[in-house]
Amino acid sequence: MSNLDERLRQVQERTATAARRAGRDPAAVTLVAVSKRKPAADILAAARLGQLDFGENYVQELRTKQEDPALRELPLRWHYIGPLQRNKVRHIVGNAALLHAIDSVSLLDEIEKRSAQAGLQSACLLQVNLSGEATKSGCAPADCQALARHALALPHVALRGLMTMPAPCDDPEESRPVFVALRALRDQLAERLATTQLTELSMGMSDDFEVAVEEGATLVRVGSLIFGARI
Ligand SMILES: *Cc1c(COP(=O)(O)O)cnc(C)c1O
């Protein structure tokens, strides 16, 4: 077994174990393998082991990998997890299963416009900045309700839930309150906006995905633990 095989299996196993520990069905958690800055050969190797969900941060890189002859015919689901610029929306609409990091009305409006033109619906998550760092992307928790209300009114946007990215830390337990808060915010929005559509919580990365699963993550985004450190 290659290193990648071994690492992928370990992450899959640890994800399932964390789910069971929390009394959850392991099938309710999707592992998104974050393949940014990693070659198509690594994606192919992971896909051969049944890993079909991949996360990318750069629109051009995602498109290039999608069109790679080695990957083109595979039933892969591409997740766009990075901050999205308005002028890149037209290149990603129709090419990603889920947009994880939407954080403004102008971005939502552009996704609506381009999705309508393409005759499809784009599945989106709202990124929430719960650590309060000024430089980080994501909407403020206080703005989340207005943003969600706006998204729910757009016919070509399918709002599916929330995403967050805690500040980097040494101890995964430091992320736990952030994951608890994202889930609470989702529950509050679902009630106030009377929607059952907000089923997804995208939270947890290499350093803290097990804690995220314990707190209700339905999508974990794990990169370096599977593919090795990025240069
Ligand atoms: C890079 C990245 C990840 C994966 O990070 P690792 O620490 O390598 O697991 C997850 N989510 C987002 C938004 C990222 O940019």
Side-chain angles (χ1 to χ4, degrees):
M1 221 196 268
S2 78
N3 268 337
L4 193 148
D5 293 12
E6 181 78 34
R7 288 194 302 252
L8 177 60
R9 279 185 212 285
Q10 268 177 21
V11 172
Q12 287 169 338
E13 195 49 52
R14 283 171 61 185
T15 303
T17 303
R20 284 191 208 98
R21 199 158 54 228
R24 302 181 60 205
D25 179 359
V29 186
T30 299
L31 172 62
V32 178
V34 176
S35 47
K36 64 184 177 201
R37 312 216 301 265
K38 294 293 173 181
D42 286 2
I43 297 173
L44 182 60
R48 288 208 169 112
L49 295 166
Q51 176 63 39
L52 298 178
D53 290 88
F54 293 91
E56 291 283 342
N57 274 50
Y58 307 97
V59 174
Q60 189 50 54
E61 186 178 345
L62 180 148
R63 296 291 296 125
T64 302
K65 285 173 176 169
Q66 268 180 338
E67 296 305 324
D68 190 293
L71 302 178
R72 212 167 40 203
E73 310 298 330
L74 301 174
L76 306 182
R77 285 179 295 271
W78 297 94
H79 296 248
Y80 190 75
I81 63 173
L84 183 58
Q85 289 168 280
R86 243 177 129 260
N87 62 356
K88 297 279 167 62
V89 166
R90 67 183 190 279
H91 301 297
I92 199 75
V93 159
N95 293 315
L98 185 61
L99 307 175
H100 285 235
I102 305 309
D103 62 359
S104 72
V105 164
S106 67
L107 207 44
L108 281 168
D109 287 347
E110 181 68 10
I111 294 166
E112 169 62 24
K113 178 178 145 191
R114 298 293 178 177
S115 304
Q117 282 170 358
L120 49 82
Q121 246 197 350
S122 293
C124 297
L125 306 178
L126 298 181
Q127 181 177 359
V128 190
N129 180 351
L130 289 162
S131 49
E133 289 165 279
T135 53
K136 262 236 198 96
S137 45
C139 69
D143 299 334
C144 202
Q145 185 170 324
L147 208 52
R149 192 188 297 281
H150 188 85
L152 288 167
L154 299 174
H156 299 89
V157 168
L159 186 64
R160 295 277 184 250
L162 305 179
M163 178 272 215
T164 200
M165 211 168 145
C169 58
D170 297 327
D171 179 1
E173 286 301 326
E174 288 176 34
S175 298
R176 193 183 295 274
V178 175
F179 298 148
V180 170
L182 191 74
R183 185 188 182 146
L185 183 59
R186 187 278 308 272
D187 292 348
Q188 190 187 71
L189 290 178
E191 196 190 313
R192 289 191 182 165
L193 300 175
T195 175
T196 54
Q197 216 174 284
L198 306 179
T199 52
E200 306 297 332
L201 291 172
S202 171
M203 55 191 198
M205 315 194 337
S206 287
D207 290 334
D208 54 18
F209 69 99
E210 288 156 302
V211 172
V213 169
E214 287 171 13
E215 298 303 339
T218 61
L219 297 146
V220 289
R221 311 177 309 269
V222 179
S224 45
L225 211 53
I226 297 171
F227 295 109
R230 290 175 296 272
I231 314 120

